[in-house]
Amino acid sequence: MTSSCPLIFMSVPPAPVASILDLVGNTALVEATCFDTGSCRLFLKLENQNPGGSIKDRVALGMIRAAEESGDLKPGGTIVEATAGNTGLGLALVATLHGYRCVVVVPDKMSREKIFHLKALGADVRLTRSDVNKGHPEYYQDMAARLVAEIPGAWWANQFENPANPATHEAGTGPEILRQMDGDVDAIVCGAGSGGTITGIGRYMARHSPKTEMILADPEGSLLAQYVNHGTLSNKVGSWLVEGIGEDFIPPVSDLSLAKKAYTVSDADAFATIRILLKKEGILAGPSSGAIIAAASRYCLEQTKAKRVVAMVCDSGNKYLSKAYNDYWMADQGFLETEPAGDLRDLIGRKRSERAVVTVDPSETLMAAFGRMKLHDVSQLPVFDGDKIVGIIDESDILLTVLDDESRFENPVRNSMTAKLETTDPSQPIDVLPFLFAEDKIAIVMDGNNFLGLITRIDLLNYLRQRTG
């Protein structure tokens, strides 16, 4: 049987290349139509199409080539970098192909997909604290500097001070954009972590397209937007969940005087924007891209005449599947709004009514229950016989059963579950929860015979954190 709608290829595919690194750069531009941009047209520069999945592939390759040419990085040497993840991925990709060791220092707020990706490339990943500022020994850049001093033959990529960072964008990204836009681009919206993108592209545009305005998107809590808009630095730095952009200091490599204006974007807006981008445009992008597109939309709506605007899509959303594209994580952060019930139901992380509860049947094996816990990252499972809850089983129940005899993993759940259930009515005060947790229990919330869900320690912590804003 043949298809009535044959495939039509509208362009000639590129010729084969000698290395995956030959595919860095020359990324596509696509016009976005799903956002309100007034009379302006918004184009997205798809840097998520680079081999390592981000714009930082350009910088990594550029910095390593410059270091090889200068002799700072010698054959068999060690590359060290402090990064939000993407520069590390780019460096690790080049390192594994060029025979270098790569040590990457990342703050502990980074997505686990980035960390797994780094390790799969062979990088030595050092996690450090994200709640400390520059000058603290656990701050990611200070730790990287210390490692460079300790490791023989180490070269610090140091994207925050390395002139090859903005030079890469000045020589590559900027000319690409102007060429793709047929020399007509009114504004380019970027984020700034190291500041290399906005600096490099800004320098190129200042020479070759002076009308092009460089616009900064900055996460709420960072101090860069205030510096761009007012020329001052705040003494109070906040925290934000968007990765890769925003800073608590002005990176030496950046020239933020090139930015015409900056927009502060909340985490909530950034995460909401990329979910819309995926559903409406089919583009899987990371949260920094959400902040940039949200800022670009605001810029467009402020214009009194039609303009052609480019926004950078910095990296791929496949690095954030456990965060931005995970409804449970989004709800835990307070980014998914639900109608409050005004009782303990508001604390349930995974509601039965939403088919979000992971369960097990009493006849299933302990191995099946254990596998389900690992898959869904939970520590306990309600045991359901049909539509009725008949027990609960947790990690301790399984461990105590199989500790002396691993063959008991094949035992049925009913033999190890807790069948005597102590339930909690949703109308009970929140004060009952700490007493349950102190007895190493969880709250099994029941409305009569109707199981509503479980409340764990982390659910209570999430609820309290959301209330503090």
Side-chain angles (χ1 to χ4, degrees):
M1 182 177 179
T2 59
S3 171
S4 60
C5 184
L7 292 173
I8 300 175
F9 296 97
M10 301 301 293
S11 60
V12 178
V17 295
S19 165
I20 192 72
L21 300 180
D22 294 331
L23 299 178
V24 174
N26 292 311
T27 57
L29 263 179
V30 61
E31 185 169 2
T33 59
C34 71
F35 299 101
D36 184 2
T37 57
S39 60
C40 297
R41 297 176 67 185
L42 177 62
F43 300 86
L44 306 180
K45 180 67 167 162
L46 301 183
E47 291 298 299
N48 58 343
Q49 293 186 347
N50 280 301
S54 88
I55 193 171
K56 294 296 188 176
D57 288 0
R58 296 177 184 263
V59 174
L61 187 57
M63 291 192 301
I64 287 177
R65 283 176 172 168
E68 289 174 333
E69 290 172 4
S70 68
D72 291 334
L73 178 60
K74 296 178 171 54
T78 298
I79 299 168
V80 178
E81 183 59 329
T83 170
N86 282 324
T87 303
L89 286 167
L91 291 169
L93 177 63
V94 181
T96 195
L97 296 178
H98 284 206
Y100 300 116
R101 180 188 176 210
C102 188
V103 180
V104 180
V105 183
V106 297
D108 57 14
K109 73 174 183 178
M110 295 305 105
S111 68
R112 61 187 182 183
E113 287 89 351
K114 284 184 185 176
I115 295 169
F116 292 157
H117 193 169
L118 282 165
K119 290 183 176 180
L121 282 168
D124 179 354
V125 180
R126 309 290 179 94
L127 282 177
T128 190
R129 293 169 59 180
S130 58
D131 62 340
V132 294
N133 296 327
K134 192 170 178 63
H136 190 285
E138 290 297 306
Y139 186 68
Y140 71 136
Q141 289 182 62
D142 291 84
M143 181 179 287
R146 189 167 66 250
L147 288 171
V148 170
E150 295 171 356
I151 299 172
W155 168 71
W156 187 7
N158 197 5
Q159 60 178 317
F160 291 89
E161 298 186 23
N162 193 326
N165 175 356
T168 298
H169 294 296
E170 187 174 358
T173 320
E176 276 180 38
I177 292 173
L178 197 59
R179 182 172 63 250
Q180 288 172 304
M181 295 292 288
D182 294 325
D184 184 14
V185 55
D186 295 293
I188 299 174
V189 188
C190 306
S194 66
T197 304
I198 198 165
T199 301
I201 296 176
R203 286 173 179 167
Y204 179 82
M205 294 299 165
R207 294 197 312 275
H208 299 280
S209 180
K211 76 165 186 174
T212 304
E213 295 181 337
M214 299 303 299
I215 306 299
L216 176 68
D218 201 36
E220 189 174 350
S222 168
L223 52 69
L224 301 183
Q226 178 174 319
Y227 181 77
V228 168
N229 292 332
H230 305 291
T232 59
L233 291 175
S234 171
N235 292 324
K236 186 177 181 181
V237 180
S239 61
W240 55 95
L241 292 171
V242 169
E243 299 177 26
I245 62 173
E247 275 300 342
D248 53 11
F249 71 105
I250 305 298
V253 79
S254 65
D255 181 0
L256 295 181
S257 69
L258 294 164
K260 177 75 172 180
K261 185 175 182 178
Y263 294 86
T264 296
V265 181
S266 69
D267 284 332
D269 284 348
F271 285 103
T273 298
I274 56 170
R275 288 166 74 101
I276 294 170
L277 182 67
L278 179 59
K279 289 181 179 179
K280 300 295 186 180
E281 302 281 1
I283 297 172
L284 184 63
S288 60
S289 305
I292 291 167
I293 294 169
S297 298
R298 286 163 58 184
Y299 171 84
C300 288
L301 291 173
E302 290 178 2
Q303 306 310 303
T304 57
K305 62 178 183 179
K307 290 188 175 182
R308 290 158 58 86
V309 179
V310 172
M312 307 302 292
V313 175
C314 305
D315 69 350
S316 171
N318 60 17
K319 302 176 181 2
Y320 310 94
L321 296 178
S322 63
K323 288 188 170 185
Y325 299 98
N326 179 346
D327 286 349
Y328 302 125
W329 185 89
M330 290 286 287
D332 287 345
Q333 308 308 315
F335 296 150
L336 295 183
E337 294 185 6
T338 56
E339 190 67 30
D343 57 26
L344 289 183
R345 281 173 287 192
D346 294 333
L347 281 75
I348 299 172
R350 300 190 178 196
K351 296 180 173 65
R352 175 78 166 166
S353 62
E354 298 173 357
R355 299 182 180 178
V357 179
V358 183
T359 67
V360 66
D361 187 276
S363 63
E364 292 187 84
T365 65
L366 294 179
M367 182 63 79
F370 176 56
R372 211 159 294 166
M373 288 177 186
K374 290 199 299 180
L375 178 63
H376 296 278
D377 195 23
V378 295
S379 299
Q380 59 282 310
L381 298 173
V383 183
F384 269 80
D385 190 354
D387 291 330
K388 181 182 178 183
I389 185 170
V390 294
I392 192 161
I393 188 163
D394 62 22
E395 294 168 329
S396 296
D397 296 325
I398 298 176
L399 179 60
L400 290 173
T401 301
V402 305
L403 189 59
D404 297 325
D405 185 354
E406 293 90 338
S407 67
R408 292 176 185 165
F409 268 115
E410 298 304 316
N411 286 3
V413 166
R414 65 166 54 90
N415 291 0
S416 300
M417 71 183 188
T418 301
K420 185 178 179 181
L421 300 178
E422 297 181 31
T423 63
T424 304
D425 187 274
S427 63
Q428 289 188 280
I430 194 173
D431 295 346
V432 304
L433 298 177
F435 293 101
L436 286 171
F437 299 152
E439 296 176 3
D440 202 27
K441 298 176 182 177
I442 59 172
I444 303 170
V445 187
M446 301 282 292
D447 185 8
N449 293 322
N450 184 29
F451 173 76
L452 302 179
L454 305 176
I455 300 176
T456 64
R457 292 178 177 85
I458 195 66
D459 293 327
L460 176 57
L461 287 169
N462 282 330
Y463 176 77
L464 294 173
R465 182 185 53 78
Q466 289 175 26
R467 289 205 307 182
T468 63

PDB file of all heavy atoms in Angstrom, residues 364-389:
ATOM      1  N   GLU A 364       1.185  -8.056  42.587  1.00  0.00           N
ATOM      2  CA  GLU A 364       2.440  -7.800  41.880  1.00  0.00           C
ATOM      3  C   GLU A 364       3.629  -8.094  42.789  1.00  0.00           C
ATOM      4  O   GLU A 364       3.508  -8.113  44.017  1.00  0.00           O
ATOM      5  CB  GLU A 364       2.486  -6.351  41.389  1.00  0.00           C
ATOM      6  CG  GLU A 364       1.485  -6.048  40.283  1.00  0.00           C
ATOM      7  CD  GLU A 364       1.679  -4.660  39.711  1.00  0.00           C
ATOM      8  OE1 GLU A 364       2.534  -4.501  38.819  1.00  0.00           O
ATOM      9  OE2 GLU A 364       0.970  -3.736  40.159  1.00  0.00           O
ATOM     10  N   THR A 365       4.775  -8.261  42.180  1.00  0.00           N
ATOM     11  CA  THR A 365       5.973  -8.614  42.948  1.00  0.00           C
ATOM     12  C   THR A 365       6.619  -7.378  43.574  1.00  0.00           C
ATOM     13  O   THR A 365       6.400  -6.247  43.135  1.00  0.00           O
ATOM     14  CB  THR A 365       7.011  -9.300  42.060  1.00  0.00           C
ATOM     15  OG1 THR A 365       7.464  -8.371  41.071  1.00  0.00           O
ATOM     16  CG2 THR A 365       6.420 -10.532  41.382  1.00  0.00           C
ATOM     17  N   LEU A 366       7.445  -7.640  44.585  1.00  0.00           N
ATOM     18  CA  LEU A 366       8.211  -6.558  45.190  1.00  0.00           C
ATOM     19  C   LEU A 366       9.166  -5.936  44.173  1.00  0.00           C
ATOM     20  O   LEU A 366       9.437  -4.732  44.228  1.00  0.00           O
ATOM     21  CB  LEU A 366       8.997  -7.077  46.397  1.00  0.00           C
ATOM     22  CG  LEU A 366       8.172  -7.543  47.599  1.00  0.00           C
ATOM     23  CD1 LEU A 366       9.099  -8.044  48.700  1.00  0.00           C
ATOM     24  CD2 LEU A 366       7.285  -6.423  48.116  1.00  0.00           C
ATOM     25  N   MET A 367       9.673  -6.748  43.248  1.00  0.00           N
ATOM     26  CA  MET A 367      10.546  -6.218  42.201  1.00  0.00           C
ATOM     27  C   MET A 367       9.794  -5.211  41.341  1.00  0.00           C
ATOM     28  O   MET A 367      10.328  -4.150  40.986  1.00  0.00           O
ATOM     29  CB  MET A 367      11.080  -7.356  41.327  1.00  0.00           C
ATOM     30  CG  MET A 367      12.037  -6.888  40.233  1.00  0.00           C
ATOM     31  SD  MET A 367      13.543  -6.126  40.909  1.00  0.00           S
ATOM     32  CE  MET A 367      14.452  -7.620  41.357  1.00  0.00           C
ATOM     33  N   ALA A 368       8.539  -5.512  41.024  1.00  0.00           N
ATOM     34  CA  ALA A 368       7.731  -4.580  40.236  1.00  0.00           C
ATOM     35  C   ALA A 368       7.492  -3.290  41.003  1.00  0.00           C
ATOM     36  O   ALA A 368       7.582  -2.190  40.445  1.00  0.00           O
ATOM     37  CB  ALA A 368       6.400  -5.231  39.862  1.00  0.00           C
ATOM     38  N   ALA A 369       7.208  -3.416  42.305  1.00  0.00           N
ATOM     39  CA  ALA A 369       6.983  -2.228  43.133  1.00  0.00           C
ATOM     40  C   ALA A 369       8.256  -1.393  43.223  1.00  0.00           C
ATOM     41  O   ALA A 369       8.217  -0.157  43.095  1.00  0.00           O
ATOM     42  CB  ALA A 369       6.520  -2.647  44.524  1.00  0.00           C
ATOM     43  N   PHE A 370       9.389  -2.047  43.421  1.00  0.00           N
ATOM     44  CA  PHE A 370      10.666  -1.349  43.527  1.00  0.00           C
ATOM     45  C   PHE A 370      10.998  -0.628  42.214  1.00  0.00           C
ATOM     46  O   PHE A 370      11.435   0.529  42.206  1.00  0.00           O
ATOM     47  CB  PHE A 370      11.768  -2.353  43.883  1.00  0.00           C
ATOM     48  CG  PHE A 370      13.146  -1.763  43.923  1.00  0.00           C
ATOM     49  CD1 PHE A 370      13.437  -0.669  44.731  1.00  0.00           C
ATOM     50  CD2 PHE A 370      14.162  -2.302  43.146  1.00  0.00           C
ATOM     51  CE1 PHE A 370      14.709  -0.133  44.763  1.00  0.00           C
ATOM     52  CE2 PHE A 370      15.431  -1.770  43.176  1.00  0.00           C
ATOM     53  CZ  PHE A 370      15.714  -0.680  43.988  1.00  0.00           C
ATOM     54  N   GLY A 371      10.775  -1.307  41.099  1.00  0.00           N
ATOM     55  CA  GLY A 371      11.030  -0.699  39.798  1.00  0.00           C
ATOM     56  C   GLY A 371      10.157   0.526  39.567  1.00  0.00           C
ATOM     57  O   GLY A 371      10.611   1.530  39.004  1.00  0.00           O
ATOM     58  N   ARG A 372       8.927   0.471  40.022  1.00  0.00           N
ATOM     59  CA  ARG A 372       8.011   1.602  39.860  1.00  0.00           C
ATOM     60  C   ARG A 372       8.451   2.786  40.725  1.00  0.00           C
ATOM     61  O   ARG A 372       8.355   3.941  40.331  1.00  0.00           O
ATOM     62  CB  ARG A 372       6.595   1.162  40.218  1.00  0.00           C
ATOM     63  CG  ARG A 372       5.511   1.880  39.446  1.00  0.00           C
ATOM     64  CD  ARG A 372       4.218   1.081  39.444  1.00  0.00           C
ATOM     65  NE  ARG A 372       4.357  -0.162  38.717  1.00  0.00           N
ATOM     66  CZ  ARG A 372       3.483  -1.173  38.766  1.00  0.00           C
ATOM     67  NH1 ARG A 372       2.414  -1.064  39.533  1.00  0.00           N
ATOM     68  NH2 ARG A 372       3.668  -2.260  38.070  1.00  0.00           N
ATOM     69  N   MET A 373       8.946   2.487  41.928  1.00  0.00           N
ATOM     70  CA  MET A 373       9.455   3.565  42.787  1.00  0.00           C
ATOM     71  C   MET A 373      10.627   4.276  42.124  1.00  0.00           C
ATOM     72  O   MET A 373      10.717   5.515  42.132  1.00  0.00           O
ATOM     73  CB  MET A 373       9.905   2.988  44.137  1.00  0.00           C
ATOM     74  CG  MET A 373       8.788   2.542  45.038  1.00  0.00           C
ATOM     75  SD  MET A 373       9.466   1.795  46.568  1.00  0.00           S
ATOM     76  CE  MET A 373       7.951   1.209  47.338  1.00  0.00           C
ATOM     77  N   LYS A 374      11.545   3.499  41.546  1.00  0.00           N
ATOM     78  CA  LYS A 374      12.712   4.102  40.899  1.00  0.00           C
ATOM     79  C   LYS A 374      12.308   4.911  39.674  1.00  0.00           C
ATOM     80  O   LYS A 374      12.807   6.010  39.452  1.00  0.00           O
ATOM     81  CB  LYS A 374      13.711   3.013  40.493  1.00  0.00           C
ATOM     82  CG  LYS A 374      14.425   2.349  41.658  1.00  0.00           C
ATOM     83  CD  LYS A 374      15.682   1.641  41.188  1.00  0.00           C
ATOM     84  CE  LYS A 374      15.379   0.549  40.180  1.00  0.00           C
ATOM     85  NZ  LYS A 374      16.617  -0.144  39.729  1.00  0.00           N
ATOM     86  N   LEU A 375      11.396   4.365  38.881  1.00  0.00           N
ATOM     87  CA  LEU A 375      10.980   5.021  37.649  1.00  0.00           C
ATOM     88  C   LEU A 375      10.328   6.368  37.920  1.00  0.00           C
ATOM     89  O   LEU A 375      10.578   7.355  37.221  1.00  0.00           O
ATOM     90  CB  LEU A 375      10.022   4.123  36.872  1.00  0.00           C
ATOM     91  CG  LEU A 375       9.452   4.706  35.577  1.00  0.00           C
ATOM     92  CD1 LEU A 375      10.560   4.978  34.565  1.00  0.00           C
ATOM     93  CD2 LEU A 375       8.412   3.751  34.977  1.00  0.00           C
ATOM     94  N   HIS A 376       9.493   6.406  38.963  1.00  0.00           N
ATOM     95  CA  HIS A 376       8.726   7.622  39.240  1.00  0.00           C
ATOM     96  C   HIS A 376       9.311   8.453  40.368  1.00  0.00           C
ATOM     97  O   HIS A 376       8.713   9.454  40.759  1.00  0.00           O
ATOM     98  CB  HIS A 376       7.276   7.254  39.557  1.00  0.00           C
ATOM     99  CG  HIS A 376       6.554   6.627  38.402  1.00  0.00           C
ATOM    100  ND1 HIS A 376       6.001   7.374  37.389  1.00  0.00           N
ATOM    101  CD2 HIS A 376       6.309   5.318  38.087  1.00  0.00           C
ATOM    102  CE1 HIS A 376       5.435   6.561  36.503  1.00  0.00           C
ATOM    103  NE2 HIS A 376       5.613   5.322  36.896  1.00  0.00           N
ATOM    104  N   ASP A 377      10.471   8.036  40.887  1.00  0.00           N
ATOM    105  CA  ASP A 377      11.181   8.801  41.924  1.00  0.00           C
ATOM    106  C   ASP A 377      10.296   9.042  43.143  1.00  0.00           C
ATOM    107  O   ASP A 377      10.154  10.166  43.628  1.00  0.00           O
ATOM    108  CB  ASP A 377      11.685  10.125  41.354  1.00  0.00           C
ATOM    109  CG  ASP A 377      12.732  10.786  42.244  1.00  0.00           C
ATOM    110  OD1 ASP A 377      13.366  10.066  43.031  1.00  0.00           O
ATOM    111  OD2 ASP A 377      12.910  12.015  42.155  1.00  0.00           O
ATOM    112  N   VAL A 378       9.683   7.974  43.639  1.00  0.00           N
ATOM    113  CA  VAL A 378       8.872   8.037  44.856  1.00  0.00           C
ATOM    114  C   VAL A 378       9.379   6.983  45.831  1.00  0.00           C
ATOM    115  O   VAL A 378      10.040   6.012  45.438  1.00  0.00           O
ATOM    116  CB  VAL A 378       7.367   7.816  44.570  1.00  0.00           C
ATOM    117  CG1 VAL A 378       6.815   8.947  43.727  1.00  0.00           C
ATOM    118  CG2 VAL A 378       7.118   6.462  43.893  1.00  0.00           C
ATOM    119  N   SER A 379       9.051   7.170  47.114  1.00  0.00           N
ATOM    120  CA  SER A 379       9.544   6.260  48.147  1.00  0.00           C
ATOM    121  C   SER A 379       8.477   5.302  48.658  1.00  0.00           C
ATOM    122  O   SER A 379       8.790   4.406  49.452  1.00  0.00           O
ATOM    123  CB  SER A 379      10.094   7.073  49.331  1.00  0.00           C
ATOM    124  OG  SER A 379      11.159   7.887  48.911  1.00  0.00           O
ATOM    125  N   GLN A 380       7.234   5.510  48.259  1.00  0.00           N
ATOM    126  CA  GLN A 380       6.158   4.646  48.709  1.00  0.00           C
ATOM    127  C   GLN A 380       5.069   4.570  47.651  1.00  0.00           C
ATOM    128  O   GLN A 380       4.934   5.474  46.815  1.00  0.00           O
ATOM    129  CB  GLN A 380       5.556   5.138  50.030  1.00  0.00           C
ATOM    130  CG  GLN A 380       4.980   6.538  49.977  1.00  0.00           C
ATOM    131  CD  GLN A 380       6.033   7.613  50.041  1.00  0.00           C
ATOM    132  OE1 GLN A 380       6.897   7.593  50.906  1.00  0.00           O
ATOM    133  NE2 GLN A 380       5.981   8.569  49.111  1.00  0.00           N
ATOM    134  N   LEU A 381       4.332   3.475  47.682  1.00  0.00           N
ATOM    135  CA  LEU A 381       3.250   3.271  46.726  1.00  0.00           C
ATOM    136  C   LEU A 381       1.979   2.854  47.452  1.00  0.00           C
ATOM    137  O   LEU A 381       2.012   1.939  48.287  1.00  0.00           O
ATOM    138  CB  LEU A 381       3.605   2.173  45.724  1.00  0.00           C
ATOM    139  CG  LEU A 381       4.819   2.375  44.812  1.00  0.00           C
ATOM    140  CD1 LEU A 381       5.080   1.096  44.023  1.00  0.00           C
ATOM    141  CD2 LEU A 381       4.593   3.547  43.870  1.00  0.00           C
ATOM    142  N   PRO A 382       0.829   3.477  47.144  1.00  0.00           N
ATOM    143  CA  PRO A 382      -0.446   2.946  47.628  1.00  0.00           C
ATOM    144  C   PRO A 382      -0.718   1.614  46.920  1.00  0.00           C
ATOM    145  O   PRO A 382      -0.417   1.453  45.728  1.00  0.00           O
ATOM    146  CB  PRO A 382      -1.466   4.009  47.214  1.00  0.00           C
ATOM    147  CG  PRO A 382      -0.671   5.215  46.865  1.00  0.00           C
ATOM    148  CD  PRO A 382       0.659   4.726  46.388  1.00  0.00           C
ATOM    149  N   VAL A 383      -1.266   0.677  47.645  1.00  0.00           N
ATOM    150  CA  VAL A 383      -1.582  -0.632  47.087  1.00  0.00           C
ATOM    151  C   VAL A 383      -3.092  -0.675  46.838  1.00  0.00           C
ATOM    152  O   VAL A 383      -3.887  -0.517  47.776  1.00  0.00           O
ATOM    153  CB  VAL A 383      -1.161  -1.771  48.033  1.00  0.00           C
ATOM    154  CG1 VAL A 383      -1.439  -3.124  47.380  1.00  0.00           C
ATOM    155  CG2 VAL A 383       0.326  -1.641  48.388  1.00  0.00           C
ATOM    156  N   PHE A 384      -3.480  -0.881  45.586  1.00  0.00           N
ATOM    157  CA  PHE A 384      -4.891  -0.862  45.217  1.00  0.00           C
ATOM    158  C   PHE A 384      -5.328  -2.228  44.703  1.00  0.00           C
ATOM    159  O   PHE A 384      -4.667  -2.823  43.846  1.00  0.00           O
ATOM    160  CB  PHE A 384      -5.150   0.191  44.133  1.00  0.00           C
ATOM    161  CG  PHE A 384      -5.509   1.540  44.675  1.00  0.00           C
ATOM    162  CD1 PHE A 384      -4.521   2.393  45.148  1.00  0.00           C
ATOM    163  CD2 PHE A 384      -6.833   1.961  44.736  1.00  0.00           C
ATOM    164  CE1 PHE A 384      -4.837   3.635  45.650  1.00  0.00           C
ATOM    165  CE2 PHE A 384      -7.163   3.201  45.243  1.00  0.00           C
ATOM    166  CZ  PHE A 384      -6.172   4.045  45.707  1.00  0.00           C
ATOM    167  N   ASP A 385      -6.442  -2.686  45.243  1.00  0.00           N
ATOM    168  CA  ASP A 385      -7.110  -3.878  44.734  1.00  0.00           C
ATOM    169  C   ASP A 385      -8.359  -3.379  44.030  1.00  0.00           C
ATOM    170  O   ASP A 385      -9.359  -3.044  44.669  1.00  0.00           O
ATOM    171  CB  ASP A 385      -7.476  -4.809  45.889  1.00  0.00           C
ATOM    172  CG  ASP A 385      -7.958  -6.162  45.385  1.00  0.00           C
ATOM    173  OD1 ASP A 385      -8.105  -6.317  44.158  1.00  0.00           O
ATOM    174  OD2 ASP A 385      -8.199  -7.049  46.225  1.00  0.00           O
ATOM    175  N   GLY A 386      -8.279  -3.263  42.721  1.00  0.00           N
ATOM    176  CA  GLY A 386      -9.354  -2.615  41.985  1.00  0.00           C
ATOM    177  C   GLY A 386      -9.342  -1.123  42.270  1.00  0.00           C
ATOM    178  O   GLY A 386      -8.322  -0.455  42.126  1.00  0.00           O
ATOM    179  N   ASP A 387     -10.482  -0.589  42.733  1.00  0.00           N
ATOM    180  CA  ASP A 387     -10.579   0.832  43.056  1.00  0.00           C
ATOM    181  C   ASP A 387     -10.415   1.110  44.541  1.00  0.00           C
ATOM    182  O   ASP A 387     -10.588   2.242  44.980  1.00  0.00           O
ATOM    183  CB  ASP A 387     -11.934   1.387  42.591  1.00  0.00           C
ATOM    184  CG  ASP A 387     -12.040   1.432  41.079  1.00  0.00           C
ATOM    185  OD1 ASP A 387     -10.989   1.606  40.426  1.00  0.00           O
ATOM    186  OD2 ASP A 387     -13.157   1.298  40.553  1.00  0.00           O
ATOM    187  N   LYS A 388     -10.066   0.086  45.293  1.00  0.00           N
ATOM    188  CA  LYS A 388      -9.993   0.242  46.745  1.00  0.00           C
ATOM    189  C   LYS A 388      -8.552   0.173  47.234  1.00  0.00           C
ATOM    190  O   LYS A 388      -7.801  -0.735  46.879  1.00  0.00           O
ATOM    191  CB  LYS A 388     -10.819  -0.860  47.417  1.00  0.00           C
ATOM    192  CG  LYS A 388     -10.840  -0.772  48.936  1.00  0.00           C
ATOM    193  CD  LYS A 388     -11.646  -1.921  49.532  1.00  0.00           C
ATOM    194  CE  LYS A 388     -11.642  -1.868  51.060  1.00  0.00           C
ATOM    195  NZ  LYS A 388     -12.362  -3.011  51.650  1.00  0.00           N
ATOM    196  N   ILE A 389      -8.156   1.151  48.066  1.00  0.00           N
ATOM    197  CA  ILE A 389      -6.832   1.103  48.656  1.00  0.00           C
ATOM    198  C   ILE A 389      -6.834   0.079  49.783  1.00  0.00           C
ATOM    199  O   ILE A 389      -7.693   0.089  50.656  1.00  0.00           O
ATOM    200  CB  ILE A 389      -6.379   2.488  49.168  1.00  0.00           C
ATOM    201  CG1 ILE A 389      -4.933   2.421  49.681  1.00  0.00           C
ATOM    202  CG2 ILE A 389      -7.331   3.059  50.197  1.00  0.00           C
ATOM    203  CD1 ILE A 389      -4.319   3.778  49.987  1.00  0.00           C
TER     204      ILE A 389
END
